[in-house]
Amino acid sequence: MQNASSLIYNNEISLSSVIVLAYYSACKDYVLIRELPAGHGFSDIVFLPKRASLKPALILELKWDKTAEGAISQIKNKRYTAALKEYKGNVLLVGINYGKKSKKHQCRIEKFVM
């Protein structure tokens, strides 16, 4: 709640803003790309490791009142990993869901090898 307006807390922009703030602690290892054209759509947020980094790439899909598993399925079904065709290594597929009524976050992570 410190990093998002309470007036617009229940939306993707607020959640992505909090994730972007987390990126600042990882910016020495990653380049952040929002709404990357990928496969058959746009991945919400991609963390692409810099050349000197040994960290995996991350593809994040954010959902509201759905499931984290559904977010992972969207990444796979819409082939968001295709945007990283030049990247070789591990990719973490990250699905995050937020329940508006329950105010609970749900996260699922799956490993994908390019």
Side-chain angles (χ1 to χ4, degrees):
M1 290 300 292
Q2 295 174 357
N3 298 306
S5 168
S6 60
L7 299 176
I8 58 166
Y9 182 73
N10 289 324
N11 71 33
E12 186 175 314
I13 294 169
S14 291
L15 180 55
S16 67
S17 295
V18 172
I19 291 168
V20 169
L21 283 171
Y23 162 73
Y24 290 115
S25 67
C27 65
K28 70 178 177 23
D29 293 311
Y30 288 100
V31 172
L32 181 132
I33 306 164
R34 296 177 107 178
E35 302 298 333
L36 178 68
H40 302 292
F42 295 84
S43 55
D44 287 333
I45 302 172
V46 173
F47 285 80
L48 190 60
K50 293 181 179 177
R51 292 188 189 271
S53 176
L54 298 175
K55 308 274 187 199
L58 292 97
I59 298 175
L60 281 79
E61 183 62 31
L62 308 173
K63 294 292 178 195
W64 299 101
D65 290 332
K66 298 202 174 153
T67 66
E69 292 80 9
I72 295 288
S73 293
Q74 181 174 328
I75 293 170
K76 292 177 180 177
N77 294 339
K78 292 192 173 188
R79 300 184 323 111
Y80 289 169
T81 56
L84 304 180
K85 62 184 173 199
E86 303 298 320
Y87 175 77
K88 301 293 182 225
N90 293 324
V91 178
L92 297 179
L93 310 180
V94 181
I96 301 174
N97 178 63
Y98 176 73
K100 288 182 180 180
K101 290 182 182 176
S102 67
K103 298 190 188 284
K104 302 276 185 197
H105 289 86
Q106 176 192 47
C107 181
R108 180 174 176 96
I109 301 171
E110 289 188 18
K111 184 178 171 182
F112 185 87
V113 180
M114 297 290 286

